[in-house]
Amino acid sequence: MKNFKMHKLYIAMLATGIGMFSTNTIAVPFIQCPGDNFLSDGVTPGSNGVPEVVDPNVKCLHLSAGDGFATMADGRELYIFSFGDITGSDEANAIDDGIMFANLPAPTIVLEQGQEVYLSLTNVGMVLRPDLSDAHTVHFHGFPNASAIFDGLPDTAISINLGSTMTYYYNLAQPGTFMYHCHVEASEHMQMGMLGNLYVKAAQNKLPDGTNLNGFIHNAGNEYVYNDGDGSTFYDVEYPIQLTGMDPDFHDANETVQPLPFANMKDKYPLINGRGYPDTVIAGPLPAPVKNGGLVTQTQDSNITAVQGQKILLRVSSLSVTRFYSLKSLGLDMQVVGMGAKPLRTAADTANPYTTNTITLGGGEAIDVIIDTTGVAPGKYFLYTSNLNNLSNNTEDFGGMMTEIEITL
Amino acid sequence: MYSLSKVFKRASLIVLFLGCTPGANAAIQGVTGTPDGTGVTFNLTTSTSNIPTPDGNSVRMWGYGVAGSPMQYPGPTLIIDQGTQVTVNLTNTNIPMKVSMLFPGQEGVSATGGTAGQFTQESSSVLGDTVTYTFTAANPGTYTYYSGTQPGLQIEMGLMGAIIVRSGTADQAYNDPSTQYDREYLFVLSEVDPKVHQDVEFGLLPMINNTVSHSTFWFMNGRLGPDTFFPDNSSFLPNQPYGSLAQMHPGERVLIRVVGGGREGHPLHLHGNNINVFARDGRLMSSNGVSADLAVSDYTIQALPGATYDGIWEWTGEQLGWDIYGTNAGGQTHDCNDVAPVDGFDDVTSEYCADHDVEIPVVLPEKQETAFGGFYSGSPFLGALSDLPPGEGGLNLNGGLFFMWHSHNERELTNDDIYPGGMMTMMIIEPHSAVIDPGNP
Amino acid sequence: MKIKSTKTALASAIALSLVSATFSSSLFAQDYYLCAKQGTKTMSDTTVIPMWGFALATDAVDQAAGCAAAITVPGPALTVPVGDNVLNIHVKNIDLPEAVSVIIPGQHAPMTPVMSAPDAQGRQRVISFTHVASMTDASASTYTWSSMQPGTYAYQSGSHPAVQVQMGLYGAVTKDAAAGQAYASASTAYDSEMTVIYSEIDPVLHTQVANIGTPNEPKYGSTGMTSTIDYNPQYFLVNGDDSSTGTPIAGAPLQTSLIRFINMGLETHIPTLHGDDMAIIAEDGHAYTNARNQYSVMVAAGQTRDVLFTPPAGPGDYPLFDRMLNLTNKTPPFVTAGANGVLTSPGSLVTVLQVGTNADTDNVLDHKDNCLLEVNPAQMDTDKDGFGNACDADLNNDGIVNTQDIPLFITAFQANSQLVDLNEDGVANTGDIPELIRMFFTEPGPTGISN
């Protein structure tokens, strides 16, 4: 969530200049969330996407889809499209709050197995591209046994027009590491940044204290990647690690309304969670891009820390639009416990992980990795692409797709 | 705004093929050879041809073909029964280099005739000679063949294809009951760097630098989206006979065979559900060599060049939390009869009974607030059709649910700088009432 | 392509451990002394590429003197004997303008990263994953792994890796779990082993890096490229060779070869075998619970993978090439048109594994040996009758070496014709006369070549 007040001021500035929105053409967003009975004026029932009647199995989210800027590690600000988290913004203000609020990566969505999710998407439009009236969608990538209507593929269902809101519904029957992105004009909207982490935590986490899982005693608070039944996917700390990249020429072409270079697309900013090294290890949000009027849009760091002996879960996903990336762990071994939101288990239902120091992902792939730090000397370790020329922030050396893992005593 | 369905709708043939679903795509297309007393013989030739691209241009290709028929991209799928002795006679018709074939995954391949090349015997169009390859298809599974002569250039030019070796058990991919299937589809993935093909066309063969790939076309079964949606043997694609549109009913087990035919890896993402991949390179993923006990479920297949993958894909819409067929009150009258076996699903339609008659939990946006896909029926419910504004939808005649299967390196959804296109197809979940293909139930 | 029989490997391991014992800091430690130096590599198109690499010193004294040996790329193959847990690599940076280091991904060692000074935003960047060896250092830097795990690994510079690995600072380091066995499981036993290291070269990058510290322009990092993002490999190498003419012997039928694949390129390569499967048993030095049977094996950038190859009965050739099809180098002609459509390929990331018996131990397998029982690795067959010169003094081709061949021998001898180069040393000279005598009244051959 952000400082909505500051934001409105900026939007007023921008919008008056461009004359894009006049208040009477935009419908009030229809934010659907069970138990939400927000009274905007104290009298008329409305909605803000936050239930007054709380059901622990219901999760409401509200995303904006629009444009904005993100800062690369060499200081360059790129024009982007993406989502912003405007959950809690009421129907009267949601569009204003979503304008120029594209986040990189898109807001990380953390869900729990068993939840019913009501995800409202409001298309707030592109402030810098008033000529574009693109629709948007949310594609919950990897959702099992999906329906078409909530799959987010514009060709096979519906996508939401500028100024309007659609609520997606997901019943979370299975845990795992997924991802989400816009699927409208996918090659363009995804290169432009409409990509985010999304994962579903396992129901096994909520077992009663002391439950015996085939010899592994579950303690309250324990967390597992999957409902493994044996504790084999237990972890102490978890980090989403999303591999993407950006082609500055493509983003500049989009900002300046030039033909988009698909054939020559090359990601010269290899990114982890929307940042190049060393911005990846800056804990918390990056400073707001200057061109974004002070709005903070890069909140997801990749600063991995653990106490010696802990198990680190990396939920690695790739939403690269252009290529495969290999990711290497130096000095720490990676145990691969799951892929594609499924645990690696044999037909006889025994854990079947494998150990490596290199994982390779194309776009749309996810790998769950556990790093056991037992016996690991305290210090700084590195997680980086072994496609070593991608240790670059465009023309800047010593950057790119790398982050650090700090092990302390 | 560009959209796939708008591009697609320009092709008038669309209604023709979606309108007559029976036979739209039968079993995997291919050739089974001629019995020769000891096994089967395939007489193949290699020749050159131009194939059209959806942008109205064309690309010079080299391809394998059945002798007497046009060359194909990819080459003819050779369908062979396990244990059969296979003879392939290869004659180079007019490719200005020697050509040959390699059969990864096949053991004991012998080659005679032609002249010795770097890897195997080769056929020259100047000499008009024929090379004969023989092997016994010892193991069932999905395989590939491709040129063993300067493969960096010749595979790029199109000299590759798929081989299917059928197990001794009908509708079972391997000799393991867990590989039983109701329906099967093959996807050969490849790509083209048009500069190389242009240089070949202009006779600049010695100067071609394809040390590294600079592809701008990405193919599925030798076609570029949206041509991938058209049926097998479409007359306007004479050298690209294989379509990629897939159809199924809920509850069916669909065998997906994937061949990395080109020189790049492609993350093949399957919308709709995970796939259980149980074989790689024509070998079961197995701890004991007998059963596929190390199968892996994923929503994206990391399809690497030269490799093959087999998996079972299923879809029922279970646990959606609402009735995918719509509620009886909503007009889609239907039952959920789960009698024998009691497994939570309707015995006939495979409807997930726990969600039966549960309303869709959200109100969909007003029509004027949304853009409609051409494959949208107007209704979120399987088997239902609903009114759409004029000019919208229209490509979904049975109320099926369409799921895109595509390369998730999304740059590859373009045809030489033009979006949309490239490496994509659709899987259509058809309502049980829709007849898909009587020949392949 | 390095091929060693287990026996040789064992012998050399023993020899090495004897040698190194002199310098060992502990009884069961294996010490290697390396120099990091500049050098060059001449490609098959005669282009000379500036390289950085490691050279193996014979001892600490040789190292202190700058290493008599030149660098090799890949660097010297390092082995750690079975039972040794400690590996010490001593590195002296002789003339590289950047500080270097050695890391072994997959092995565990305490590392002390070198970080840059904070920039204006307070950010620090890792310059080296561990402590460095600089040109200005008086003595060598030592890198110690005190719990070496068995398996196949790459050692490589951990400093400015985007540049230094590409420049050539890497090599293989291997350790077996037991004699002739790669990992703990007995199923990883092998009869012979080979290491296949893939790499790539971007000639522009190499040239610009070599220009650092010289008056030449442009220089990497200043007047030229300032990052490696536009890396554009144009040469593809197997074990440092960009022409891959080698046809290694992968052992005898039914014998198991361990192939240790190491990819030190910056892109994925996919060695694909034709004619048989491989059992993939490990990656990055970590053994799998169950081997994976495939004919193709993806080796990601910086990764190692071990496979076992057990060919079936009978001799055969098994083509093995990179299915990413990085199979040609940058210089035309890539294919050379011949009289009747014959074309040739320079070929790289290509090899053909040969399987068969080798009765005369000349490394030409029996099934293609034109003198089955004579050592003639040159395989000269001047009269092209299928019998190699070394077993063919039958100059009139009547099936027997007799007096009728003597005048032909003398004529050819006087004409310096290689027809009578019976010892296959390249010239017809007096050394060939005893060969003629030896073969007198015998039939030509035998050969292993049918027809």
Side-chain angles (χ1 to χ4, degrees):
Chain A
M1 214 123 14
K2 57 171 179 171
N3 183 337
F4 288 128
K5 219 174 192 177
M6 284 274 298
H7 185 217
K8 280 183 114 168
L9 212 78
Y10 174 62
I11 295 313
M13 248 158 54
L14 262 174
T16 16
I18 296 162
M20 178 179 173
F21 295 110
S22 61
T23 43
N24 58 354
T25 60
I26 300 296
V28 171
F30 179 29
I31 310 164
Q32 300 181 56
C33 174
D36 174 17
N37 192 26
F38 173 73
L39 303 176
S40 54
D41 53 4
V43 181
T44 320
S47 61
N48 66 352
V50 179
E52 277 71 40
V53 183
V54 176
D55 178 342
N57 290 323
V58 168
K59 172 93 169 177
C60 295
L61 294 164
H62 189 185
L63 298 182
S64 58
D67 58 354
F69 286 90
T71 310
M72 301 293 101
D74 63 354
R76 183 162 169 181
E77 295 185 355
L78 292 184
Y79 180 55
I80 63 167
F81 302 164
S82 191
F83 303 101
D85 182 3
I86 53 171
T87 306
S89 176
D90 66 62
E91 55 192 14
N93 296 299
I95 287 182
D96 281 355
D97 289 341
I99 284 176
M100 289 296 284
F101 194 42
N103 276 226
L104 196 71
T108 298
I109 297 179
V110 184
L111 304 170
E112 292 176 17
Q113 187 184 358
Q115 283 178 334
E116 292 182 78
V117 177
Y118 294 78
L119 190 161
S120 296
L121 174 69
T122 299
N123 182 346
V124 303
M126 319 288 198
V127 172
L128 270 73
R129 287 296 304 274
D131 59 310
L132 287 183
S133 57
D134 288 17
H136 293 295
T137 63
V138 168
H139 169 54
F140 187 135
H141 178 104
F143 189 84
N145 271 292
S147 67
I149 192 71
F150 300 131
D151 189 40
L153 194 72
D155 317 280
T156 62
I158 55 176
S159 38
I160 196 71
N161 286 337
L162 197 157
S164 291
T165 300
M166 170 167 175
T167 300
Y168 293 81
Y169 172 83
Y170 311 107
N171 180 47
L172 301 179
Q174 295 181 29
T177 303
F178 302 91
M179 56 202 94
Y180 76 104
H181 58 86
C182 177
H183 222 300
V184 175
E185 308 198 31
S187 306
E188 175 192 356
H189 285 202
M190 291 174 65
Q191 167 63 231
M192 288 303 289
M194 305 192 79
L195 320 160
N197 289 287
L198 188 163
Y199 53 94
V200 179
K201 301 187 102 170
Q204 186 172 295
N205 298 351
K206 292 180 177 170
L207 287 175
D209 189 42
T211 304
N212 187 333
L213 295 168
N214 252 320
F216 182 94
I217 304 302
H218 169 79
N219 295 318
N222 278 7
E223 295 198 329
Y224 313 86
V225 198
Y226 294 99
N227 300 308
D228 53 46
D230 55 15
S232 59
T233 64
F234 167 85
Y235 63 87
D236 294 288
V237 291
E238 67 181 326
Y239 293 89
I241 296 290
Q242 190 161 84
L243 312 180
T244 62
M246 286 195 164
D247 175 354
D249 295 341
F250 192 97
H251 290 247
D252 287 354
N254 212 320
E255 185 178 359
T256 55
V257 202
Q258 297 300 309
L260 300 176
F262 289 109
N264 292 324
M265 192 188 289
K266 184 178 177 188
D267 288 333
K268 298 197 173 188
Y269 287 102
L271 305 172
I272 300 178
N273 290 334
R275 305 184 192 180
Y277 182 78
D279 283 352
T280 46
V281 297
I282 293 176
L286 290 188
V290 174
K291 289 182 177 174
N292 225 35
L295 277 181
V296 171
T297 54
Q298 288 164 282
T299 56
Q300 178 67 56
D301 67 46
S302 311
N303 182 45
I304 304 166
T305 61
V307 176
Q308 185 192 51
Q310 284 188 323
K311 287 186 169 177
I312 305 169
L313 167 63
L314 303 180
R315 296 182 181 269
V316 186
S317 61
S318 170
L319 279 173
S320 167
V321 184
T322 59
R323 56 164 294 155
F324 286 79
Y325 287 108
S326 296
L327 197 63
K328 196 153 199 83
S329 65
L330 180 60
L332 301 169
D333 295 334
M334 299 193 278
Q335 188 187 43
V336 177
V337 300
M339 288 180 175
K342 287 286 185 183
L344 287 180
R345 296 181 76 79
T346 68
D349 203 22
T350 56
N352 188 35
Y354 70 93
T355 303
T356 187
N357 297 89
T358 318
I359 54 173
T360 301
L361 300 90
E365 293 190 80
I367 296 182
D368 301 303
V369 158
I370 288 179
I371 296 173
D372 186 350
T373 66
T374 303
V376 169
K380 201 187 279 296
Y381 295 83
F382 298 90
L383 186 70
Y384 60 98
T385 180
S386 54
N387 308 114
L388 297 169
N389 58 309
N390 290 282
L391 296 177
S392 309
N393 303 315
N394 195 8
T395 55
E396 183 187 76
D397 210 347
F398 296 101
M401 190 176 283
M402 171 148 70
T403 192
E404 299 172 2
I405 302 175
E406 190 81 38
I407 310 293
T408 55
L409 276 178
Chain B
M1 186 172 101
Y2 297 99
S3 85
L4 177 59
S5 43
K6 280 177 185 160
V7 168
F8 193 29
K9 268 187 275 186
R10 290 190 200 114
S12 56
L13 293 162
I14 174 69
V15 179
L16 272 177
F17 90 86
L18 278 176
C20 55
T21 30
N25 269 331
I28 291 174
Q29 295 283 298
V31 292
T32 53
T34 311
D36 58 16
T38 55
V40 297
T41 293
F42 297 92
N43 293 311
L44 302 183
T45 54
T46 55
S47 58
T48 177
S49 187
N50 279 31
I51 64 167
T53 54
D55 57 4
N57 293 320
S58 71
V59 178
R60 171 63 56 91
M61 301 293 293
W62 296 346
Y64 297 102
V66 175
S69 300
M71 71 77 138
Q72 292 180 207
Y73 184 57
T77 299
L78 311 183
I79 301 175
I80 303 161
D81 289 331
Q82 183 187 0
T84 302
Q85 185 181 318
V86 180
T87 302
V88 179
N89 295 315
L90 177 70
T91 308
N92 183 359
T93 305
N94 63 5
I95 288 173
M97 283 178 73
K98 290 184 175 181
V99 299
S100 62
M101 292 174 86
L102 292 176
F103 304 88
Q106 308 301 334
E107 294 162 13
V109 180
S110 77
T112 57
T115 46
Q118 188 178 19
F119 299 131
T120 186
Q121 298 299 113
E122 301 177 333
S123 168
S124 154
S125 64
V126 174
L127 300 176
D129 51 2
T130 296
V131 183
T132 300
Y133 305 96
T134 58
F135 61 90
T136 299
N139 298 299
T142 304
Y143 300 93
T144 177
Y145 64 86
Y146 44 76
S147 175
T149 306
Q150 185 103 350
L153 177 63
Q154 295 202 354
I155 293 174
E156 163 75 41
M157 287 304 295
L159 289 170
M160 58 86 182
I163 296 176
I164 292 173
V165 180
R166 299 211 173 279
S167 78
T169 307
D171 297 334
Q172 188 174 299
Y174 289 79
N175 295 313
D176 171 5
S178 75
T179 65
Q180 179 275 329
Y181 60 88
D182 300 309
R183 207 178 287 284
E184 63 173 338
Y185 294 99
L186 168 68
F187 301 110
V188 179
L189 311 180
S190 63
E191 61 288 317
V192 153
D193 172 356
K195 178 70 168 59
V196 171
H197 296 248
Q198 200 174 59
D199 286 353
V200 166
E201 192 166 5
F202 294 165
L204 303 175
L205 211 47
M207 302 308 291
I208 292 169
N209 183 348
N210 69 328
T211 298
V212 292
S213 177
H214 298 287
S215 307
T216 58
F217 287 110
W218 292 276
F219 297 80
M220 193 174 250
N221 287 337
R223 295 185 187 174
L224 300 162
D227 291 349
T228 48
F229 299 150
F230 292 108
D232 292 334
N233 305 310
S234 292
S235 58
F236 67 105
L237 298 168
N239 302 107
Q240 299 152 276
Y242 300 147
S244 296
L245 193 72
Q247 289 168 287
M248 66 177 284
H249 293 126
E252 290 176 342
R253 293 167 59 83
V254 181
L255 171 65
I256 305 300
R257 303 175 182 267
V258 177
V259 173
R263 64 179 297 186
E264 296 176 357
H266 303 285
L268 182 65
H269 174 53
L270 310 183
H271 280 237
N273 212 355
N274 275 38
I275 182 170
N276 199 45
V277 177
F278 55 76
R280 162 81 194 262
D281 288 358
R283 300 290 180 269
L284 287 176
M285 292 157 67
S286 174
S287 67
N288 52 26
V290 176
S291 67
D293 60 337
L294 303 181
V296 171
S297 171
D298 208 325
Y299 44 67
T300 304
I301 298 172
Q302 189 177 87
L304 299 172
T308 73
Y309 306 80
D310 295 300
I312 293 285
W313 197 82
E314 297 175 275
W315 187 95
T316 58
E318 68 178 290
Q319 295 184 296
L320 278 173
W322 50 282
D323 191 335
I324 189 69
Y325 296 87
T327 61
N328 289 327
Q332 282 256 109
T333 307
H334 62 291
D335 296 322
C336 206
N337 289 317
D338 180 19
V339 179
V342 178
D343 56 4
F345 296 90
D346 184 280
D347 297 344
V348 176
T349 65
S350 294
E351 179 187 353
Y352 179 67
C353 290
D355 287 343
H356 179 67
D357 228 17
V358 178
E359 292 282 347
I360 188 168
V362 293
V363 178
L364 297 176
E366 299 292 326
K367 282 177 180 166
Q368 66 271 20
E369 294 185 300
T370 58
F372 299 95
F375 302 102
Y376 184 49
S377 69
S379 164
F381 306 119
L382 178 55
L385 296 165
S386 188
D387 288 343
L388 284 167
E392 302 292 350
L395 303 177
N396 182 348
L397 303 182
N398 300 317
L401 304 179
F402 283 59
F403 291 104
M404 191 192 255
W405 290 2
H406 64 100
S407 169
H408 213 282
N409 285 347
E410 309 266 342
R411 184 172 77 105
E412 299 170 2
L413 300 185
T414 59
N415 295 330
D416 203 22
D417 226 16
I418 297 170
Y419 178 93
M423 191 179 286
M424 63 150 103
T425 189
M426 294 281 178
M427 163 57 93
I428 314 172
I429 312 289
E430 297 282 19
H432 192 264
S433 56
V435 177
I436 295 178
D437 176 7
N440 186 27
Chain C
M1 200 77 50
K2 290 196 180 57
I3 317 287
K4 287 194 291 190
S5 76
T6 308
K7 269 186 197 158
T8 326
L10 206 61
S12 59
I14 290 166
L16 269 171
S17 55
L18 285 175
V19 169
S20 60
T22 324
F23 309 105
S24 292
S25 49
S26 79
L27 190 57
F28 296 104
Q30 178 69 49
D31 285 57
Y32 286 102
Y33 297 84
L34 301 180
C35 292
K37 295 199 285 191
Q38 299 188 29
T40 58
K41 186 180 273 292
T42 303
M43 313 310 293
S44 56
D45 62 8
T46 72
T47 303
V48 177
I49 306 282
M51 304 293 293
W52 293 356
F54 291 113
L56 185 62
T58 51
D59 53 31
V61 176
D62 178 36
Q63 183 188 49
C67 287
I71 63 161
T72 59
V73 179
L78 309 184
T79 53
V80 178
V82 172
D84 270 10
N85 290 328
V86 180
L87 170 65
N88 294 310
I89 300 180
H90 310 277
V91 177
K92 182 108 177 62
N93 182 346
I94 306 303
D95 60 0
L96 300 184
E98 291 192 351
V100 303
S101 59
V102 175
I103 58 170
I104 305 178
Q107 295 284 359
H108 299 168
M111 286 181 283
T112 48
V114 180
M115 304 298 288
S116 70
D119 64 13
Q121 295 154 266
R123 303 178 303 178
Q124 288 182 283
R125 304 169 193 240
V126 63
I127 300 302
S128 177
F129 293 136
T130 189
H131 63 290
V132 295
S134 298
M135 226 168 94
T136 51
D137 293 348
S139 54
S141 297
T142 298
Y143 301 86
T144 299
W145 292 263
S146 52
S147 59
M148 280 296 289
Q149 300 299 306
T152 301
Y153 304 89
Y155 67 92
Q156 58 196 276
S157 181
S159 310
H160 199 186
V163 162
Q164 294 193 9
V165 171
Q166 167 61 199
M167 287 302 289
L169 290 165
Y170 55 80
V173 55
T174 59
K175 178 185 173 181
D176 278 348
Q181 182 177 314
Y183 294 91
S185 165
S187 66
T188 64
Y190 61 86
D191 298 302
S192 64
E193 64 173 313
M194 68 174 79
T195 301
V196 177
I197 303 180
Y198 292 124
S199 63
E200 307 149 1
I201 286 177
D202 174 350
V204 177
L205 177 62
H206 279 248
T207 302
Q208 294 199 3
V209 170
N211 289 345
I212 300 174
T214 76
N216 295 325
E217 303 288 339
K219 297 178 185 46
Y220 181 85
S222 54
T223 51
M225 290 187 271
T226 52
S227 83
T228 54
I229 193 71
D230 288 324
Y231 175 69
N232 183 20
Q234 293 290 295
Y235 295 99
F236 295 86
L237 302 87
V238 178
N239 290 343
D241 179 1
D242 76 323
S243 62
S244 297
T245 49
T247 50
I249 295 157
L254 306 175
Q255 301 273 294
T256 298
S257 298
L258 168 66
I259 308 178
R260 305 176 185 269
F261 288 111
I262 300 176
N263 181 1
M264 295 314 294
L266 272 49
E267 292 296 341
T268 296
H269 296 291
I270 306 178
T272 298
L273 185 69
H274 301 81
D276 201 5
D277 291 345
M278 301 176 276
I280 311 173
I281 58 169
E283 69 178 69
D284 287 344
H286 306 283
Y288 296 137
T289 308
N290 299 105
R292 305 175 184 180
N293 289 312
Q294 298 171 192
Y295 58 74
S296 61
V297 51
M298 181 186 80
V299 191
Q303 193 177 35
T304 76
R305 294 191 88 175
D306 293 314
V307 309
L308 297 178
F309 167 49
T310 310
D317 289 348
Y318 298 86
L320 176 74
F321 59 81
D322 173 28
R323 198 53 185 73
M324 297 295 279
L325 301 179
N326 299 123
L327 301 178
T328 53
N329 294 326
K330 75 178 245 292
T331 307
F334 301 99
V335 290
T336 308
N340 60 354
V342 178
L343 292 110
T344 59
S345 157
S348 57
L349 300 202
V350 170
T351 193
V352 178
L353 301 179
Q354 291 188 9
V355 172
T357 49
N358 188 11
D360 56 11
T361 68
D362 62 359
N363 283 348
V364 179
L365 295 184
D366 294 350
H367 66 286
K368 41 180 64 176
D369 195 345
N370 61 18
C371 290
L372 203 53
L373 302 173
E374 293 294 324
V375 175
N376 65 329
Q379 293 284 296
M380 289 175 66
D381 179 13
T382 308
D383 64 355
K384 294 187 167 49
D385 65 351
F387 299 105
N389 291 10
C391 57
D392 183 18
D394 177 22
L395 301 176
N396 65 352
N397 290 326
D398 66 349
I400 185 78
V401 182
N402 55 21
T403 51
Q404 294 169 27
D405 296 303
I406 291 175
L408 296 172
F409 183 92
I410 292 167
T411 309
F413 191 88
Q414 287 168 340
N416 291 323
S417 165
Q418 288 197 342
L419 202 60
V420 293
D421 179 14
L422 301 181
N423 62 2
E424 299 192 14
D425 64 354
V427 286
N429 56 19
T430 52
D432 299 311
I433 296 170
E435 297 298 311
L436 175 68
I437 296 168
R438 176 179 62 77
M439 287 184 263
F440 219 69
F441 290 128
T442 67
E443 296 172 3
T447 83
I449 300 169
S450 58
N451 83 0

